[in-house]
């Protein structure tokens, strides 16, 4: 499950919530962050995992996939022996060359993630679910386009072979699905619509779900909003309270319009996650988001 959307819409929280639900259903789950300042493990109450896969909660593991560590793992898989890897990949000139090869960093990071998705132990999949907390929209599209771009441009060989199996796994709807996360606001919804078009037209990855995050509640009727407007000029405490309540009503009405726009433009199952008033964003907030997802949202 690849989770992406505009930066700041709550991708990491939704990734953590989906992983939490799967783990509590008895699944063995891995969450992969991509060259990021780790958020998922701390959200779940654990320490950052770094490049080593670590269990944060029972059945729920996290890892931060970075170019240097993914390159090392890829090199060891190809060359088999650490001494040969050190002689080749740790050479200063080779390392400089690898840093300037276009898309190589993206390829090895994506390869690490997809290798985990297809890995087996004792004849069964190592993971029941791999959740990718992908970069924000533009970088996510760039990352996911790398295999098909390489298949189209490079001749046969090990690199093309790796790109081919990665592309095949990404476009297999039985194996891979993409979830779009947005806020009920103009720019995030516009970016979600653009992302959806690129996924359908360029990437060919199965689109699985839309998550509309932080939806403010509609607390007041139209009649009550009119009464609040009439009270807005009153003295304290009634006037300031009425203005604050009217502002909340306006925000909820705007959010409802953007929600409907997202639903109309994106032909996807939509889960609406309510705005959760938590002073500190941690495991308790993730559990609330998970409960909203499990309940089908608002």
């Amino acid at each position: 499950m690849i989770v992406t959307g505009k930066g700041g819409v709550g991708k990491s929280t939704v990734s953590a919530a989906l992983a939490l639900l799967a783990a509590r259903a008895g699944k063995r789950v891995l969450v992969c962050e991509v060259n990021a300042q780790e958020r998922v493990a701390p959200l779940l109450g654990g320490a950052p995992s770094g490049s080593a896969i670590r269990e944060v909660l029972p059945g729920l593991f996290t890892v931060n996939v970075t170019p240097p560590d993914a390159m090392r793992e890829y090199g060891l898989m190809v060359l088999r022996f650490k001494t040969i890897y050190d002689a080749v990949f740790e050479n200063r000139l080779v390392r400089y060359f690898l840093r300037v090869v276009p898309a190589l960093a993206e390829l090895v990071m994506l390869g690490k993630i997809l290798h985990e998705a297809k890995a087996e132990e004792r004849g069964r999949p190592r993971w029941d679910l791999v959740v990718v907390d992908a970069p924000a929209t533009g970088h996510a599209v760039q990352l996911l386009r790398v295999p098909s771009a390489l298949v189209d441009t490079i001749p046969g060989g090990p690199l093309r072979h790796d790109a081919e199996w990665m592309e095949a796994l990404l476009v297999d709807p039985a194996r891979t699905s993409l979830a779009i996360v947005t806020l009920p606001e103009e720019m995030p919804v516009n970016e979600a619509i653009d992302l959806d078009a690129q996924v359908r037209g360029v990437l060919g990855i199965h689109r699985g779900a839309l998550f509309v995050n932080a939806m403010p509640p509609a607390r007041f009727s139209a009649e009550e909003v009119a009464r609040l407007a009439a009270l807005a000029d009153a003295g304290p405490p009634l006037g300031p309270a009425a203005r604050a309540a009217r502002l909340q009503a306006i925000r909820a009405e705007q959010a409802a319009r953007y929600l409907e726009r997202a639903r109309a433009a994106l032909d996807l199952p939509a889960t609406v996650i309510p705005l959760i008033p938590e002073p500190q964003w941690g495991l308790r907030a993730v559990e609330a988001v998970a409960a909203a997802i499990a309940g089908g949202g608002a």
Side-chain angles (χ1 to χ4, degrees), residues 111-131:
K112 160 66 176 175
I113 294 166
L114 297 182
H115 173 75
E116 292 294 339
K118 73 185 187 93
E120 294 188 351
E121 289 180 349
R122 296 186 292 275
R124 58 153 298 174
R126 180 183 299 169
W127 310 105
D128 297 305
L129 175 66
V130 174
V131 177

Side-chain angles (χ1 to χ4, degrees), residues 27-262:
K27 307 293 186 183
R28 183 175 167 88
V29 185
L30 174 66
V31 182
C32 298
E33 296 187 75
V34 184
N35 198 25
Q37 182 176 354
E38 287 187 63
R39 297 203 65 226
V40 173
L43 279 172
L44 295 169
S49 296
S51 61
I53 294 174
R54 291 197 173 97
E55 191 170 22
V56 179
L57 293 171
L60 200 167
F61 299 73
T62 65
V63 67
N64 187 23
V65 180
T66 64
D69 294 310
M71 178 67 72
R72 179 176 178 81
E73 188 163 342
Y74 178 79
L76 288 171
M77 283 192 296
V78 171
L79 296 176
R80 305 293 182 186
F81 296 103
K82 184 177 181 301
T83 51
I84 300 176
Y85 170 88
D86 289 340
V88 177
F89 281 79
E90 296 300 326
N91 179 280
R92 182 173 58 86
L93 294 177
V94 173
R95 290 173 66 182
Y96 173 79
F97 170 75
L98 292 174
R99 280 199 299 271
V100 299
V101 173
L104 187 59
E106 288 81 4
L107 181 70
V108 295
M109 287 192 295
L110 187 60
K112 160 66 176 175
I113 294 166
L114 297 182
H115 173 75
E116 292 294 339
K118 73 185 187 93
E120 294 188 351
E121 289 180 349
R122 296 186 292 275
R124 58 153 298 174
R126 180 183 299 169
W127 310 105
D128 297 305
L129 175 66
V130 174
V131 177
V132 183
D133 181 15
T137 307
H139 289 107
V141 171
Q142 180 181 345
L143 175 73
L144 298 171
R145 284 189 65 181
V146 166
S148 62
L150 291 177
V151 168
D152 291 340
T153 56
I154 62 175
L159 199 60
R160 180 187 174 92
H161 175 266
D162 286 350
E164 286 174 339
W165 73 255
M166 289 182 203
E167 182 185 29
L169 197 156
L170 283 174
V171 300
D172 182 355
R175 301 288 303 277
T176 303
S177 188
L178 184 139
I180 299 174
V181 183
T182 187
L183 296 174
E185 299 171 7
E186 182 177 14
M187 289 184 64
V189 167
N190 288 343
E191 197 158 316
I193 293 169
D194 180 63
L195 169 63
D196 183 70
Q198 292 188 68
V199 173
R200 288 185 287 108
V202 179
L203 298 178
I205 299 174
H206 174 260
R207 301 140 56 244
L210 170 67
F211 294 96
V212 181
N213 193 24
M215 184 72 186
R219 299 184 184 277
F220 305 102
S221 67
E223 180 184 344
E224 288 169 333
V225 172
R227 291 173 62 191
L228 289 169
L231 293 169
D233 293 331
L238 191 56
R243 289 194 295 273
R246 185 165 177 258
L247 181 62
Q248 193 281 332
I250 291 170
R251 185 183 177 197
E253 188 274 332
Q254 291 174 337
R257 284 193 280 112
Y258 288 120
L259 171 61
E260 289 311 307
R261 182 162 183 262

